[in-house]
Amino acid sequence: MGVSNNTWRNAVLGALGVSVIWPVVALAEVTASRAPNVVLLLADDLGFADLGAYGSEIQTPNIDRLAASGMRFSNFHVAASCAPTRAMLMTGLDSHTVGVANIPEAIPDEQSHAPAYQGVLDTSVPTIAEMLQAAGYRTMMTGKWHLGLADGERPSQRGFDRALMLADTGADNWRQRSYLPIYAQANWYEDGEPTTLPDDFYSSEYLVDKAIEYIGSDADSQDPFFAYVAFQAVHIPVQAPAAFRDKYLQTYADGWHALRAARSQGLADTGILPSALQGLPMPTTPDWQTLTPEQQAFEARGMAVYAGMVDAMDHHIGRLVDHIDSIGELDNTIFIFLSDNGAEGSLATRPLGNSADAPVAPFRVWMRWAGYNTDGDTLGERDSYHDIGPAWASAAVGPLAWYKFFAGEGGLRVPLVISGSHNGQNIASQTGSVSHALGWATDIVPTVLSLAGVQTSTDFEGKNLAPLLSEDQPQVRGDDEGFGYELGGNKAWFQGDYKLVFNRFGDAPRWQLFNLKADLAETRDLSESESERFDAMRASYDAWAKAHGVLSVAPDYDQRQTVFSKGMRNRPGLLVGLTLVVLVPLLAVFFLVVRWFRRGKLA
């Protein structure tokens, strides 16, 4: 396989000191015994406090068992949107380095010329699948890819022997159907070719079915496997089988304020946080008591669907673990579970309180045209469309600030569980432990390669987390080592216990400085009281941004609006049709009123 002749990309990578050649990969000499299997499990839009092992009321016994036999991470961060995180998980390099500074649907025209803002994974950079494949691994993936659909960009062409992929930002969980009008269809592919989903499709179940099929039942195979399962749970539309939803119908009647407090206490009770914290009130969270009883009942039922979707994902993860056990491979399999970003706070289906995300008429018309409904009785079931909105999203992350898209901890900090065994030996020396080490999405690739005993010539931007599992080592980064972040104009610099952050909200957005160890909820800005540190971290961020080709966004940039406007620009016929559907009835009413008024005057 050759290397693309990409002058600008080589220049960017070279400036960062990153190898641009395809890596020389080999099994390390120390692995005289068989290399371990690796299963990478990725949830979509899962909140920091959504797992039982992180203090949630949601039942996740299978993930909890992995956590109990491995290590949980309390200070692990990813991008606040899906594709940038996935790019880092596949390469061990920053999302800007590999061309995925944002999802392609949200990149404004004025940024699309830049190397960092292509929205698809640079094909000159090797993926973890290619590295493991070269070392003798069988490689497979099922689920959401969202890193490129064109020839050469699909997972089947990026090192995966077998691949069932969803190319889009998301899709219906019950049918092969788009969840947004920007897509004409849900783009599912198997082994690089368009495929058709079965009639009894439910996303979490089918993705695990396919993973089991790809892994197979040949216990005598001498080749280890790498399985990447990228769930749709709990991305919009929030959907779950009734049996899972109904467990939680009485759970959320007290509202989002009560849940946020309970989640904060749960994080403390499980050792993720040192104590329960009270975060700042979020401006997108209305007072629960201002809702009517009917609104409260609907919102509580919607959160029950969300909990059921997490529960269902966990159930099917249990099936995957059981299969690996049944073929005699459980004692030689490593599991890594995490989310691609924090909880999703968009509100697409209904206005709520003072939320700025009120639905627009064309989207509601499209929903009806596409066969979706928001009926309370069947919420979450086939043909239902639901999103939990910003208030529940704030509760799902406990006391953390903000949620998906924002650079607050609620958007960037996610659960991470690393567990499993290699040749019957548990990889975590202290099972059930919690690491408070600062971690970043680029750390997963070097960690997997280390645990697999695979050596490569690639220079990663991430750190190997494996020493945290097997040694008495509290950190993998020194206090002087930091990393930067930018997505849609929201920015951050992490260094030691401190975080410099810029969120694009409010009338006068500004840089702020927080000590996350002392103030995880980001309530006390230290930019003035620790001005020297603030200035030094600003300089570090600026240097990082320059090296990574970070571009600014227009003051009026809105990620979700850009997604819709770019998407609908690609579907002009649908846009005209939806507009007419909305305007024609309004014009008809207008002319009727005018006619009535004229008749009245003539009379």
Side-chain angles (χ1 to χ4, degrees), residues 219-358:
D220 296 326
S221 174
Q222 294 303 303
D223 295 331
F225 63 80
F226 170 65
Y228 171 40
V229 184
F231 291 96
Q232 291 176 240
V234 273
H235 192 282
I236 293 173
V238 178
Q239 298 165 320
F244 290 96
R245 174 201 64 199
D246 291 353
K247 297 181 184 180
Y248 304 96
L249 290 179
Q250 307 304 317
T251 303
Y252 302 104
D254 292 335
W256 35 68
H257 301 298
L259 179 62
R260 194 181 195 203
R263 290 289 185 88
S264 182
Q265 185 63 55
L267 288 165
D269 291 343
T270 53
I272 301 298
L273 300 184
S275 62
L277 303 176
Q278 183 174 355
L280 292 174
M282 290 293 102
T284 52
T285 300
D287 187 342
W288 180 256
Q289 300 306 322
T290 63
L291 274 62
T292 66
E294 292 76 18
Q295 288 175 318
Q296 289 181 350
F298 182 85
E299 292 298 327
R301 190 175 183 89
M303 189 60 188
V305 177
Y306 179 92
M309 196 173 187
V310 176
D311 192 323
M313 175 184 66
D314 178 84
H315 169 78
H316 293 295
I317 287 174
R319 292 176 49 233
L320 178 60
V321 174
D322 288 345
H323 173 72
I324 294 171
D325 189 17
S326 72
I327 62 174
E329 289 293 316
L330 192 59
D331 284 345
N332 198 43
T333 300
I334 294 168
F335 296 90
I336 299 176
F337 175 92
L338 73 160
S339 179
D340 65 345
N341 47 249
E344 165 68 271
S346 296
L347 192 60
T349 57
R350 67 211 179 279
L352 182 63
N354 60 353
S355 172
D357 288 325

Side-chain angles (χ1 to χ4, degrees), residues 460-481:
F460 300 110
E461 294 183 74
K463 297 285 188 177
N464 175 17
L465 302 177
L468 301 173
L469 300 167
S470 58
E471 301 174 9
D472 186 17
Q473 181 174 325
Q475 301 288 340
V476 293
R477 288 177 171 85
D479 289 343
D480 60 340
E481 294 181 280

